[in-house]
Amino acid sequence: MATKWKSNRGLTTLWFILVTWGLIGIAVALNFSPDKRDYYSSYPFEHQLNQFLDNLAMLELHDFTEQETKQWITVSNEEINEHRYRYGDLSHQLENINGQYENKIREAATAEQHNVVQALTAERERKLEDISNNFKSDEHIRVKIVNEKEKIIEDFYKEREQHRSDYMKYKDVFLYHFKNIKTGKELTNIEIANEAMAFERIYPSATHHYLTIGGAYGKLLSELNLPSNMNMYEGKIGVSKSSQQALSILPAYEEFQQRQKVFYWTLASGLASLLLSVIISKKVPIFESFGRWQTLYNRVPLDAGIMAFGLIGLMMLLFLGVSANDFLYNFSYSHFGDWILRLAVTTFLVALTLTKGSWLWARIREQSKVKGEWQKTILLRTYLGIKDVFLQRHIGTQLLILLFFVFSLGAGFILVMIKPRYVILYVPYALLLGIPALVVIMKRAGYFNRILLSSEEWVRGNLEIELPVTGKSAFAKLAKNMNMLKHGVRTSIKEQAKSERLKTELITNVSHDLRTPLTSIISYTELLKRDDLSAEDRQAYIDILDRKSKRLKVLIDDLFEATKMASGNIELVKNRVDLVQLLQQALAEYNEKINESTLQLRVTLPEQPVYALVDGQKIWRVFENLIGNFLKYSLENTRVYITMKAIPQEVVITFKNVAKYELGENVEELFERFKRGDSSRNTEGSGLGLAIAKSIIDLHNGSMEMEVDGDLFKVTITLATRVE
């Protein structure tokens, strides 16, 4: 059976891997859109084409010398006026210049740097004179603009030669034929009509307007203020099939070819993987091996499960998209390990999404359970929590109104800070509504503080303080109820009487439990002395004596052990123990009795070992006492729950059962020695089981708590799991 399970688990893992790869193949196909399958539509090619066109314009279309280009320079009246008033009118510009130099000259004078003062003063005077001349003479400005444009032309020709090598590199790849629509000048390196083209672009066409060249040449034309049609061309540019072998020098061309291969291989293998996964799913029950996890998942609220499924599903889609994109565009053998790790994470998310989806569908499909599932949802619980606020409707209404006024007061203050003109609306609102709401809140807060301080005095034992009950608010009702509660607190003095009673009961119970089997032993010993006993009666009396003596031994042993535990006169032999295995072994010891009983045992244990530094024999005794306890005192045909849950640095073990006897109201007394839930004391227990178990847990610095809800009996044990 184990071999078959392992085989199914291996096929299940393989199935998830195949499905993941199939989904990645589909994602690759969706990501690799038709425009991405064409290299001539890619960004690297488009960028290189535009760069080539810019270089072509500088080196071929513009064949004028530097001096000829400078003859194009013109200066318009608009340019003169723009230069003149660029920084304001005359007075404003003069004021700015004086302001710029005033502090500098003063600081230099203070430092007695006379040369600096002279230099700054001379520089300021030159600028002031230049600005004044700007407003006196257009020719003065025209000369400066011409000089600026000549500098632009000189920079253009310096930059022009730097691009020649790059232009020559791609000249054999791109074939072109262009004509300037203004000058009629044509430029070509081959007759395109005679070439079979792998790529061709026509200007103008349905998708492209007249060609306008940018880069340094376009900037030059713009700076010289030439007509816009001087930079407009019609014609063609393309790549012929005969020169396609030269494409290897183009950016990302080899990467594009590799990506084409990856696309077709991934798509084909992905579809094959999906087909194979369908075949496997018909032979192997994929989700049955997660039955235990499904049981735990079914305890999660339905709406939380739906939200978790949606979140994990989104993460899965994200990772599928990222994995497909990386595999298609960034895959390399040097990053193979990283890609395998991403594939593993994606497979895990796919497995989690499909499994949760299967479990969720199974829960929703059972119509009879959906209503019960809805009762446990977080949304319904939240609604009920909000509904509790309105159990006293006037309290909920007052709370909402006060919160509205307070928040609107804060929002209004922020609005006034942003738009001060709204202060005329904010001030009346604050005075009439906002501030009164704050006063009410502060008064209620003060009343609450008085209640809190009074309760603290009561805790210290000062029960003479009486809370004032003013008004009909919720706090007034609370004060009234607390006053009534205070009178009940005084009954705590009965605890001393209770302590004395427990001591008396202890002596009585010890006497009773020891005297009962001892009396039977004495009585049947006297009967055995008779000579007229038959062999059958004699054997019956001997059996009774044996049973009663063993009963007496159990009582005495438990009494001694409980006494040693209470006095602390016991040594613990602590070792690193797996609590999961220890509890399983304890249950195995009682397996026969459990099967003979009518009880149904529900055990939930962690799959991984839970280690703690404990005395294994003593903890075994705790488990043994508790298991024996529910076997003796559980109501027939009921369920017993045993759970173990590991939390950070602690383990929590819970035993729950329905008692066959009335347990009474005082839970703590069940931990007392010789205390049992039944009043008749006719069971075979010693009455020391819980007391011994609690003492053992206390010696391990743990906690053992007991809860009773009607006939439901629950014991919770908490132990530290940190192993030093």
PDB file of all heavy atoms in Angstrom, residues 34-46 48 174 199 239 244 247-257 259-260:
ATOM      1  N   PRO A  34       2.010  38.599 -32.496  1.00  0.00           N
ATOM      2  CA  PRO A  34       2.508  38.606 -33.880  1.00  0.00           C
ATOM      3  C   PRO A  34       3.537  39.696 -34.165  1.00  0.00           C
ATOM      4  O   PRO A  34       4.490  39.479 -34.897  1.00  0.00           O
ATOM      5  CB  PRO A  34       1.225  38.824 -34.701  1.00  0.00           C
ATOM      6  CG  PRO A  34       0.147  38.250 -33.847  1.00  0.00           C
ATOM      7  CD  PRO A  34       0.543  38.541 -32.438  1.00  0.00           C
ATOM      8  N   ASP A  35       3.357  40.899 -33.563  1.00  0.00           N
ATOM      9  CA  ASP A  35       4.322  41.964 -33.840  1.00  0.00           C
ATOM     10  C   ASP A  35       5.689  41.658 -33.246  1.00  0.00           C
ATOM     11  O   ASP A  35       6.715  42.129 -33.731  1.00  0.00           O
ATOM     12  CB  ASP A  35       3.804  43.293 -33.298  1.00  0.00           C
ATOM     13  CG  ASP A  35       3.583  43.230 -31.793  1.00  0.00           C
ATOM     14  OD1 ASP A  35       2.981  42.239 -31.341  1.00  0.00           O
ATOM     15  OD2 ASP A  35       4.013  44.158 -31.090  1.00  0.00           O
ATOM     16  N   LYS A  36       5.724  40.815 -32.179  1.00  0.00           N
ATOM     17  CA  LYS A  36       7.002  40.455 -31.583  1.00  0.00           C
ATOM     18  C   LYS A  36       7.689  39.333 -32.355  1.00  0.00           C
ATOM     19  O   LYS A  36       8.863  39.060 -32.148  1.00  0.00           O
ATOM     20  CB  LYS A  36       6.799  40.032 -30.125  1.00  0.00           C
ATOM     21  CG  LYS A  36       6.316  41.165 -29.227  1.00  0.00           C
ATOM     22  CD  LYS A  36       6.140  40.706 -27.810  1.00  0.00           C
ATOM     23  CE  LYS A  36       5.636  41.839 -26.919  1.00  0.00           C
ATOM     24  NZ  LYS A  36       5.423  41.395 -25.531  1.00  0.00           N
ATOM     25  N   ARG A  37       6.941  38.656 -33.223  1.00  0.00           N
ATOM     26  CA  ARG A  37       7.536  37.577 -34.012  1.00  0.00           C
ATOM     27  C   ARG A  37       8.257  38.121 -35.241  1.00  0.00           C
ATOM     28  O   ARG A  37       8.925  37.389 -35.946  1.00  0.00           O
ATOM     29  CB  ARG A  37       6.449  36.584 -34.433  1.00  0.00           C
ATOM     30  CG  ARG A  37       5.725  35.939 -33.249  1.00  0.00           C
ATOM     31  CD  ARG A  37       4.563  35.097 -33.711  1.00  0.00           C
ATOM     32  NE  ARG A  37       3.648  34.847 -32.597  1.00  0.00           N
ATOM     33  CZ  ARG A  37       2.448  34.313 -32.720  1.00  0.00           C
ATOM     34  NH1 ARG A  37       2.014  33.975 -33.935  1.00  0.00           N
ATOM     35  NH2 ARG A  37       1.673  34.118 -31.681  1.00  0.00           N
ATOM     36  N   ASP A  38       8.058  39.409 -35.519  1.00  0.00           N
ATOM     37  CA  ASP A  38       8.686  40.040 -36.679  1.00  0.00           C
ATOM     38  C   ASP A  38       9.812  40.935 -36.193  1.00  0.00           C
ATOM     39  O   ASP A  38       9.574  41.923 -35.488  1.00  0.00           O
ATOM     40  CB  ASP A  38       7.636  40.853 -37.446  1.00  0.00           C
ATOM     41  CG  ASP A  38       8.240  41.529 -38.667  1.00  0.00           C
ATOM     42  OD1 ASP A  38       9.368  41.153 -39.051  1.00  0.00           O
ATOM     43  OD2 ASP A  38       7.594  42.433 -39.217  1.00  0.00           O
ATOM     44  N   TYR A  39      11.035  40.608 -36.577  1.00  0.00           N
ATOM     45  CA  TYR A  39      12.183  41.385 -36.115  1.00  0.00           C
ATOM     46  C   TYR A  39      12.100  42.828 -36.590  1.00  0.00           C
ATOM     47  O   TYR A  39      12.509  43.747 -35.886  1.00  0.00           O
ATOM     48  CB  TYR A  39      13.477  40.744 -36.606  1.00  0.00           C
ATOM     49  CG  TYR A  39      14.694  41.584 -36.285  1.00  0.00           C
ATOM     50  CD1 TYR A  39      15.164  41.689 -34.981  1.00  0.00           C
ATOM     51  CD2 TYR A  39      15.359  42.288 -37.287  1.00  0.00           C
ATOM     52  CE1 TYR A  39      16.261  42.481 -34.682  1.00  0.00           C
ATOM     53  CE2 TYR A  39      16.462  43.071 -36.989  1.00  0.00           C
ATOM     54  CZ  TYR A  39      16.918  43.164 -35.681  1.00  0.00           C
ATOM     55  OH  TYR A  39      17.998  43.938 -35.389  1.00  0.00           O
ATOM     56  N   TYR A  40      11.526  43.025 -37.764  1.00  0.00           N
ATOM     57  CA  TYR A  40      11.468  44.374 -38.330  1.00  0.00           C
ATOM     58  C   TYR A  40      10.450  45.262 -37.614  1.00  0.00           C
ATOM     59  O   TYR A  40      10.379  46.466 -37.882  1.00  0.00           O
ATOM     60  CB  TYR A  40      11.150  44.306 -39.822  1.00  0.00           C
ATOM     61  CG  TYR A  40      12.207  43.554 -40.600  1.00  0.00           C
ATOM     62  CD1 TYR A  40      11.930  42.317 -41.166  1.00  0.00           C
ATOM     63  CD2 TYR A  40      13.485  44.072 -40.730  1.00  0.00           C
ATOM     64  CE1 TYR A  40      12.896  41.623 -41.871  1.00  0.00           C
ATOM     65  CE2 TYR A  40      14.464  43.379 -41.430  1.00  0.00           C
ATOM     66  CZ  TYR A  40      14.168  42.153 -42.002  1.00  0.00           C
ATOM     67  OH  TYR A  40      15.138  41.469 -42.674  1.00  0.00           O
ATOM     68  N   SER A  41       9.657  44.663 -36.710  1.00  0.00           N
ATOM     69  CA  SER A  41       8.739  45.462 -35.901  1.00  0.00           C
ATOM     70  C   SER A  41       9.271  45.668 -34.487  1.00  0.00           C
ATOM     71  O   SER A  41       8.591  46.277 -33.658  1.00  0.00           O
ATOM     72  CB  SER A  41       7.365  44.768 -35.815  1.00  0.00           C
ATOM     73  OG  SER A  41       6.803  44.620 -37.093  1.00  0.00           O
ATOM     74  N   SER A  42      10.452  45.151 -34.215  1.00  0.00           N
ATOM     75  CA  SER A  42      11.000  45.217 -32.864  1.00  0.00           C
ATOM     76  C   SER A  42      11.626  46.577 -32.594  1.00  0.00           C
ATOM     77  O   SER A  42      12.002  47.309 -33.514  1.00  0.00           O
ATOM     78  CB  SER A  42      12.045  44.115 -32.656  1.00  0.00           C
ATOM     79  OG  SER A  42      13.167  44.340 -33.493  1.00  0.00           O
ATOM     80  N   TYR A  43      11.759  46.901 -31.331  1.00  0.00           N
ATOM     81  CA  TYR A  43      12.339  48.184 -30.931  1.00  0.00           C
ATOM     82  C   TYR A  43      13.806  48.310 -31.351  1.00  0.00           C
ATOM     83  O   TYR A  43      14.212  49.372 -31.840  1.00  0.00           O
ATOM     84  CB  TYR A  43      12.194  48.373 -29.419  1.00  0.00           C
ATOM     85  CG  TYR A  43      12.949  49.578 -28.907  1.00  0.00           C
ATOM     86  CD1 TYR A  43      12.448  50.866 -29.076  1.00  0.00           C
ATOM     87  CD2 TYR A  43      14.185  49.421 -28.275  1.00  0.00           C
ATOM     88  CE1 TYR A  43      13.147  51.971 -28.633  1.00  0.00           C
ATOM     89  CE2 TYR A  43      14.896  50.525 -27.828  1.00  0.00           C
ATOM     90  CZ  TYR A  43      14.373  51.792 -28.005  1.00  0.00           C
ATOM     91  OH  TYR A  43      15.077  52.879 -27.568  1.00  0.00           O
ATOM     92  N   PRO A  44      14.676  47.283 -31.154  1.00  0.00           N
ATOM     93  CA  PRO A  44      16.084  47.442 -31.556  1.00  0.00           C
ATOM     94  C   PRO A  44      16.243  47.788 -33.035  1.00  0.00           C
ATOM     95  O   PRO A  44      17.061  48.641 -33.400  1.00  0.00           O
ATOM     96  CB  PRO A  44      16.709  46.082 -31.215  1.00  0.00           C
ATOM     97  CG  PRO A  44      15.846  45.539 -30.126  1.00  0.00           C
ATOM     98  CD  PRO A  44      14.467  45.987 -30.456  1.00  0.00           C
ATOM     99  N   PHE A  45      15.438  47.113 -33.900  1.00  0.00           N
ATOM    100  CA  PHE A  45      15.547  47.405 -35.327  1.00  0.00           C
ATOM    101  C   PHE A  45      15.056  48.824 -35.624  1.00  0.00           C
ATOM    102  O   PHE A  45      15.682  49.572 -36.383  1.00  0.00           O
ATOM    103  CB  PHE A  45      14.746  46.389 -36.133  1.00  0.00           C
ATOM    104  CG  PHE A  45      14.742  46.686 -37.611  1.00  0.00           C
ATOM    105  CD1 PHE A  45      15.827  46.336 -38.402  1.00  0.00           C
ATOM    106  CD2 PHE A  45      13.664  47.329 -38.205  1.00  0.00           C
ATOM    107  CE1 PHE A  45      15.831  46.624 -39.767  1.00  0.00           C
ATOM    108  CE2 PHE A  45      13.662  47.617 -39.562  1.00  0.00           C
ATOM    109  CZ  PHE A  45      14.752  47.264 -40.342  1.00  0.00           C
ATOM    110  N   GLU A  46      13.925  49.202 -35.025  1.00  0.00           N
ATOM    111  CA  GLU A  46      13.365  50.530 -35.257  1.00  0.00           C
ATOM    112  C   GLU A  46      14.342  51.605 -34.788  1.00  0.00           C
ATOM    113  O   GLU A  46      14.527  52.635 -35.455  1.00  0.00           O
ATOM    114  CB  GLU A  46      12.025  50.663 -34.521  1.00  0.00           C
ATOM    115  CG  GLU A  46      11.253  51.924 -34.848  1.00  0.00           C
ATOM    116  CD  GLU A  46      10.694  51.916 -36.268  1.00  0.00           C
ATOM    117  OE1 GLU A  46      10.492  50.823 -36.826  1.00  0.00           O
ATOM    118  OE2 GLU A  46      10.484  53.026 -36.809  1.00  0.00           O
ATOM    119  N   GLN A  48      17.648  51.324 -34.568  1.00  0.00           N
ATOM    120  CA  GLN A  48      18.801  51.370 -35.456  1.00  0.00           C
ATOM    121  C   GLN A  48      18.444  52.026 -36.790  1.00  0.00           C
ATOM    122  O   GLN A  48      19.241  52.765 -37.377  1.00  0.00           O
ATOM    123  CB  GLN A  48      19.335  49.962 -35.699  1.00  0.00           C
ATOM    124  CG  GLN A  48      20.618  49.920 -36.504  1.00  0.00           C
ATOM    125  CD  GLN A  48      21.734  50.722 -35.849  1.00  0.00           C
ATOM    126  OE1 GLN A  48      22.050  50.495 -34.699  1.00  0.00           O
ATOM    127  NE2 GLN A  48      22.309  51.676 -36.578  1.00  0.00           N
ATOM    128  N   PHE A 174      21.047  48.674 -45.178  1.00  0.00           N
ATOM    129  CA  PHE A 174      19.860  49.434 -45.550  1.00  0.00           C
ATOM    130  C   PHE A 174      20.001  49.980 -46.974  1.00  0.00           C
ATOM    131  O   PHE A 174      20.996  50.619 -47.318  1.00  0.00           O
ATOM    132  CB  PHE A 174      19.656  50.607 -44.587  1.00  0.00           C
ATOM    133  CG  PHE A 174      19.349  50.191 -43.185  1.00  0.00           C
ATOM    134  CD1 PHE A 174      20.335  50.243 -42.207  1.00  0.00           C
ATOM    135  CD2 PHE A 174      18.085  49.732 -42.853  1.00  0.00           C
ATOM    136  CE1 PHE A 174      20.057  49.866 -40.918  1.00  0.00           C
ATOM    137  CE2 PHE A 174      17.803  49.349 -41.559  1.00  0.00           C
ATOM    138  CZ  PHE A 174      18.786  49.401 -40.586  1.00  0.00           C
ATOM    139  N   PHE A 199      12.308  43.631 -46.058  1.00  0.00           N
ATOM    140  CA  PHE A 199      11.641  44.699 -45.307  1.00  0.00           C
ATOM    141  C   PHE A 199      11.656  45.960 -46.163  1.00  0.00           C
ATOM    142  O   PHE A 199      12.661  46.274 -46.814  1.00  0.00           O
ATOM    143  CB  PHE A 199      12.362  44.966 -43.980  1.00  0.00           C
ATOM    144  CG  PHE A 199      11.988  46.269 -43.349  1.00  0.00           C
ATOM    145  CD1 PHE A 199      10.798  46.396 -42.656  1.00  0.00           C
ATOM    146  CD2 PHE A 199      12.819  47.383 -43.467  1.00  0.00           C
ATOM    147  CE1 PHE A 199      10.453  47.611 -42.079  1.00  0.00           C
ATOM    148  CE2 PHE A 199      12.477  48.595 -42.891  1.00  0.00           C
ATOM    149  CZ  PHE A 199      11.283  48.709 -42.194  1.00  0.00           C
ATOM    150  N   VAL A 239      15.429  46.538 -46.435  1.00  0.00           N
ATOM    151  CA  VAL A 239      16.489  45.533 -46.339  1.00  0.00           C
ATOM    152  C   VAL A 239      16.163  44.470 -47.372  1.00  0.00           C
ATOM    153  O   VAL A 239      15.068  43.881 -47.342  1.00  0.00           O
ATOM    154  CB  VAL A 239      16.550  44.914 -44.932  1.00  0.00           C
ATOM    155  CG1 VAL A 239      17.622  43.834 -44.881  1.00  0.00           C
ATOM    156  CG2 VAL A 239      16.814  45.986 -43.889  1.00  0.00           C
ATOM    157  N   GLN A 244      20.371  40.112 -46.499  1.00  0.00           N
ATOM    158  CA  GLN A 244      19.861  39.739 -45.181  1.00  0.00           C
ATOM    159  C   GLN A 244      20.935  39.094 -44.312  1.00  0.00           C
ATOM    160  O   GLN A 244      20.867  39.130 -43.096  1.00  0.00           O
ATOM    161  CB  GLN A 244      18.666  38.790 -45.322  1.00  0.00           C
ATOM    162  CG  GLN A 244      17.822  38.703 -44.058  1.00  0.00           C
ATOM    163  CD  GLN A 244      16.513  38.007 -44.299  1.00  0.00           C
ATOM    164  OE1 GLN A 244      16.284  37.445 -45.367  1.00  0.00           O
ATOM    165  NE2 GLN A 244      15.645  38.029 -43.309  1.00  0.00           N
ATOM    166  N   LEU A 247      22.433  41.144 -41.640  1.00  0.00           N
ATOM    167  CA  LEU A 247      21.634  41.497 -40.477  1.00  0.00           C
ATOM    168  C   LEU A 247      22.285  41.095 -39.166  1.00  0.00           C
ATOM    169  O   LEU A 247      21.910  41.573 -38.099  1.00  0.00           O
ATOM    170  CB  LEU A 247      20.253  40.833 -40.567  1.00  0.00           C
ATOM    171  CG  LEU A 247      19.265  41.445 -41.570  1.00  0.00           C
ATOM    172  CD1 LEU A 247      18.031  40.587 -41.654  1.00  0.00           C
ATOM    173  CD2 LEU A 247      18.910  42.856 -41.167  1.00  0.00           C
ATOM    174  N   SER A 248      23.244  40.184 -39.214  1.00  0.00           N
ATOM    175  CA  SER A 248      23.875  39.713 -37.983  1.00  0.00           C
ATOM    176  C   SER A 248      24.539  40.851 -37.218  1.00  0.00           C
ATOM    177  O   SER A 248      24.768  40.745 -36.010  1.00  0.00           O
ATOM    178  CB  SER A 248      24.905  38.629 -38.301  1.00  0.00           C
ATOM    179  OG  SER A 248      25.878  39.136 -39.199  1.00  0.00           O
ATOM    180  N   ILE A 249      24.841  41.942 -37.909  1.00  0.00           N
ATOM    181  CA  ILE A 249      25.466  43.063 -37.207  1.00  0.00           C
ATOM    182  C   ILE A 249      24.435  43.957 -36.544  1.00  0.00           C
ATOM    183  O   ILE A 249      24.782  44.818 -35.742  1.00  0.00           O
ATOM    184  CB  ILE A 249      26.329  43.905 -38.170  1.00  0.00           C
ATOM    185  CG1 ILE A 249      25.431  44.649 -39.183  1.00  0.00           C
ATOM    186  CG2 ILE A 249      27.363  43.054 -38.870  1.00  0.00           C
ATOM    187  CD1 ILE A 249      26.187  45.651 -40.025  1.00  0.00           C
ATOM    188  N   LEU A 250      23.145  43.765 -36.877  1.00  0.00           N
ATOM    189  CA  LEU A 250      22.113  44.591 -36.283  1.00  0.00           C
ATOM    190  C   LEU A 250      21.888  44.183 -34.827  1.00  0.00           C
ATOM    191  O   LEU A 250      22.056  43.017 -34.463  1.00  0.00           O
ATOM    192  CB  LEU A 250      20.807  44.464 -37.061  1.00  0.00           C
ATOM    193  CG  LEU A 250      20.779  45.123 -38.441  1.00  0.00           C
ATOM    194  CD1 LEU A 250      19.447  44.881 -39.113  1.00  0.00           C
ATOM    195  CD2 LEU A 250      21.067  46.614 -38.347  1.00  0.00           C
ATOM    196  N   PRO A 251      21.488  45.137 -34.004  1.00  0.00           N
ATOM    197  CA  PRO A 251      21.284  44.835 -32.580  1.00  0.00           C
ATOM    198  C   PRO A 251      20.199  43.784 -32.377  1.00  0.00           C
ATOM    199  O   PRO A 251      19.134  43.840 -32.980  1.00  0.00           O
ATOM    200  CB  PRO A 251      20.845  46.193 -31.997  1.00  0.00           C
ATOM    201  CG  PRO A 251      21.303  47.213 -32.971  1.00  0.00           C
ATOM    202  CD  PRO A 251      21.258  46.546 -34.307  1.00  0.00           C
ATOM    203  N   ALA A 252      20.483  42.810 -31.518  1.00  0.00           N
ATOM    204  CA  ALA A 252      19.517  41.810 -31.038  1.00  0.00           C
ATOM    205  C   ALA A 252      18.985  40.899 -32.133  1.00  0.00           C
ATOM    206  O   ALA A 252      18.000  40.197 -31.913  1.00  0.00           O
ATOM    207  CB  ALA A 252      18.343  42.506 -30.333  1.00  0.00           C
ATOM    208  N   TYR A 253      19.620  40.875 -33.346  1.00  0.00           N
ATOM    209  CA  TYR A 253      19.080  40.008 -34.383  1.00  0.00           C
ATOM    210  C   TYR A 253      19.277  38.538 -34.030  1.00  0.00           C
ATOM    211  O   TYR A 253      18.365  37.721 -34.199  1.00  0.00           O
ATOM    212  CB  TYR A 253      19.735  40.324 -35.732  1.00  0.00           C
ATOM    213  CG  TYR A 253      19.169  39.486 -36.863  1.00  0.00           C
ATOM    214  CD1 TYR A 253      17.880  39.714 -37.323  1.00  0.00           C
ATOM    215  CD2 TYR A 253      19.918  38.461 -37.449  1.00  0.00           C
ATOM    216  CE1 TYR A 253      17.342  38.946 -38.341  1.00  0.00           C
ATOM    217  CE2 TYR A 253      19.387  37.690 -38.467  1.00  0.00           C
ATOM    218  CZ  TYR A 253      18.099  37.933 -38.915  1.00  0.00           C
ATOM    219  OH  TYR A 253      17.569  37.163 -39.915  1.00  0.00           O
ATOM    220  N   GLU A 254      20.467  38.181 -33.577  1.00  0.00           N
ATOM    221  CA  GLU A 254      20.706  36.787 -33.183  1.00  0.00           C
ATOM    222  C   GLU A 254      19.813  36.406 -32.004  1.00  0.00           C
ATOM    223  O   GLU A 254      19.305  35.280 -31.931  1.00  0.00           O
ATOM    224  CB  GLU A 254      22.178  36.593 -32.829  1.00  0.00           C
ATOM    225  CG  GLU A 254      23.119  36.727 -34.030  1.00  0.00           C
ATOM    226  CD  GLU A 254      24.557  36.440 -33.648  1.00  0.00           C
ATOM    227  OE1 GLU A 254      24.801  36.166 -32.455  1.00  0.00           O
ATOM    228  OE2 GLU A 254      25.419  36.502 -34.537  1.00  0.00           O
ATOM    229  N   GLU A 255      19.622  37.351 -31.070  1.00  0.00           N
ATOM    230  CA  GLU A 255      18.723  37.085 -29.946  1.00  0.00           C
ATOM    231  C   GLU A 255      17.298  36.865 -30.440  1.00  0.00           C
ATOM    232  O   GLU A 255      16.570  36.011 -29.920  1.00  0.00           O
ATOM    233  CB  GLU A 255      18.769  38.277 -28.988  1.00  0.00           C
ATOM    234  CG  GLU A 255      17.870  38.130 -27.773  1.00  0.00           C
ATOM    235  CD  GLU A 255      17.884  39.361 -26.908  1.00  0.00           C
ATOM    236  OE1 GLU A 255      18.861  40.133 -26.994  1.00  0.00           O
ATOM    237  OE2 GLU A 255      16.919  39.553 -26.145  1.00  0.00           O
ATOM    238  N   PHE A 256      16.898  37.615 -31.461  1.00  0.00           N
ATOM    239  CA  PHE A 256      15.569  37.436 -32.031  1.00  0.00           C
ATOM    240  C   PHE A 256      15.412  36.040 -32.651  1.00  0.00           C
ATOM    241  O   PHE A 256      14.396  35.367 -32.462  1.00  0.00           O
ATOM    242  CB  PHE A 256      15.326  38.508 -33.094  1.00  0.00           C
ATOM    243  CG  PHE A 256      14.109  38.266 -33.943  1.00  0.00           C
ATOM    244  CD1 PHE A 256      12.852  38.517 -33.448  1.00  0.00           C
ATOM    245  CD2 PHE A 256      14.231  37.760 -35.242  1.00  0.00           C
ATOM    246  CE1 PHE A 256      11.728  38.290 -34.227  1.00  0.00           C
ATOM    247  CE2 PHE A 256      13.117  37.528 -36.018  1.00  0.00           C
ATOM    248  CZ  PHE A 256      11.862  37.799 -35.513  1.00  0.00           C
ATOM    249  N   GLN A 257      16.418  35.587 -33.384  1.00  0.00           N
ATOM    250  CA  GLN A 257      16.348  34.250 -33.973  1.00  0.00           C
ATOM    251  C   GLN A 257      16.268  33.177 -32.892  1.00  0.00           C
ATOM    252  O   GLN A 257      15.507  32.205 -33.022  1.00  0.00           O
ATOM    253  CB  GLN A 257      17.578  34.021 -34.870  1.00  0.00           C
ATOM    254  CG  GLN A 257      17.561  34.850 -36.162  1.00  0.00           C
ATOM    255  CD  GLN A 257      18.748  34.532 -37.032  1.00  0.00           C
ATOM    256  OE1 GLN A 257      19.875  34.444 -36.556  1.00  0.00           O
ATOM    257  NE2 GLN A 257      18.494  34.350 -38.324  1.00  0.00           N
ATOM    258  N   ARG A 259      15.062  33.578 -29.942  1.00  0.00           N
ATOM    259  CA  ARG A 259      13.746  33.674 -29.330  1.00  0.00           C
ATOM    260  C   ARG A 259      12.685  32.983 -30.188  1.00  0.00           C
ATOM    261  O   ARG A 259      11.741  32.383 -29.659  1.00  0.00           O
ATOM    262  CB  ARG A 259      13.398  35.148 -29.118  1.00  0.00           C
ATOM    263  CG  ARG A 259      12.160  35.378 -28.297  1.00  0.00           C
ATOM    264  CD  ARG A 259      12.116  36.772 -27.711  1.00  0.00           C
ATOM    265  NE  ARG A 259      12.171  37.803 -28.732  1.00  0.00           N
ATOM    266  CZ  ARG A 259      13.156  38.671 -28.867  1.00  0.00           C
ATOM    267  NH1 ARG A 259      14.193  38.625 -28.048  1.00  0.00           N
ATOM    268  NH2 ARG A 259      13.142  39.593 -29.817  1.00  0.00           N
ATOM    269  N   GLN A 260      12.840  33.044 -31.492  1.00  0.00           N
ATOM    270  CA  GLN A 260      11.913  32.333 -32.376  1.00  0.00           C
ATOM    271  C   GLN A 260      11.951  30.835 -32.108  1.00  0.00           C
ATOM    272  O   GLN A 260      10.915  30.176 -32.005  1.00  0.00           O
ATOM    273  CB  GLN A 260      12.298  32.607 -33.844  1.00  0.00           C
ATOM    274  CG  GLN A 260      12.044  34.029 -34.304  1.00  0.00           C
ATOM    275  CD  GLN A 260      10.624  34.224 -34.802  1.00  0.00           C
ATOM    276  OE1 GLN A 260       9.693  33.698 -34.222  1.00  0.00           O
ATOM    277  NE2 GLN A 260      10.453  34.968 -35.871  1.00  0.00           N
TER     278      GLN A 260
END
